[in-house]
Amino acid sequence: NLKELEAGNASYLMGTKIRVLAVTANTEGKENVEFIPIEAKAGYVAGYNDPEYISKLPRFQLPQLPTNKTFRMFPITGDSMLPFINGDYIITEFVEDWISVKSGTLCILILKGNQEFVYKQVENRLEKNGTFLLHSLNQCYEPYEVKSDQILEVWKYHSRWSKQVPDKEITLKNIEEKMTSIMMMLKTG
C-alpha cells in the first residue's frame, strides 16, 4: 500500500520499496548530473519523478564523481545556509535509505506541497519519531521538523560549485560575530 509506505513505513524510509527516480544518461550509458536551474525550482517538485521532465533539464558530466551513484545540482537562494550564498550550486547525491542519513549531514529535501526544496543540516529522528529536524547554518533561523510523509526525495551534499572567490578574511566565526552584532543593534535600536 503506497499510502502506508509514504506514511513512514520502515521499508519506504530505507528505500527498499516503491520509489521512482528518473535519470538521464550519456551515449555511453553513464548517468548525467541533472542541473536544476533557478527558473525550474518550482517545477521540480511536480516533475521530480517524471522522465520527460527530467530529460528536458540541463545535464552534464563531471569525471571526478563516482559512477555508481546518482547526482543532481541545485541552486542556493537566501541566507539561511551561510557561508553558502545566492548563486552557489550544490552537487548532491541521491539518498535511497533515509534512515542511514547521519545527523549533521547537509541535504536538499524535496517536500510535498512545497513549491521549492530546502537545503538544511538534518538531525535524523526518523527511527525515534518519524521526522528530520532541519537546521540552518545561519543561527538567525530556528530549526523545524519535517515528517517523513512530507518528504519526496533526499539528496546528500557532495560538493559546491561557486563563482565567488572566498575571502580569506571571512570565517564562520566572523560571520556569526557580525550577525550577533547586527541582532543586538536591532534589539536595542
Side-chain angles (χ1 to χ4, degrees), residues 4-43:
E4 180 182 317
L5 293 173
E6 289 178 339
N9 178 293
S11 295
Y12 183 73
L13 298 176
M14 294 180 352
T16 58
K17 296 290 182 187
I18 302 168
R19 189 173 296 142
V20 176
L21 179 65
V23 297
T24 62
N26 67 12
T27 56
E28 299 159 3
K30 183 179 176 198
E31 279 189 30
N32 293 308
V33 176
E34 287 84 21
F35 170 57
I36 317 306
I38 294 278
E39 56 274 4
K41 282 181 76 173

Side-chain angles (χ1 to χ4, degrees), residues 62-75:
L62 286 175
Q64 70 272 27
L65 293 177
T67 57
N68 61 340
K69 298 179 181 183
T70 300
F71 295 90
R72 296 238 161 102
M73 180 187 260
F74 295 90

Side-chain angles (χ1 to χ4, degrees), residues 80-161:
S80 70
M81 291 300 283
L82 291 173
F84 299 95
I85 60 170
N86 279 327
D88 283 356
Y89 293 91
I90 304 302
I91 298 171
T92 60
E93 173 189 325
F94 180 70
V95 177
E96 189 169 351
D97 179 358
W98 300 349
I99 291 174
S100 72
V101 175
K102 292 183 173 73
S103 289
T105 302
L106 298 175
C107 292
I108 298 266
L109 298 175
I110 312 304
L111 304 174
K112 291 180 183 175
N114 194 341
Q115 289 303 304
E116 296 187 7
F117 35 80
V118 295
Y119 178 48
K120 298 294 177 193
Q121 185 174 46
V122 300
E123 183 178 328
N124 193 335
R125 298 177 171 185
L126 291 174
E127 291 183 301
K128 180 180 175 185
N129 66 4
T131 66
F132 277 133
L133 183 63
L134 305 182
H135 297 270
S136 296
L137 295 179
N138 182 341
Q139 300 300 312
C140 293
Y141 294 88
E142 293 292 321
Y144 61 95
E145 278 190 332
V146 173
K147 294 183 179 191
S148 62
D149 65 353
Q150 293 302 304
I151 302 169
L152 297 171
E153 289 182 339
V154 176
W155 295 86
K156 179 174 66 170
Y157 174 87
H158 178 274
S159 54
R160 167 184 164 191
W161 181 85

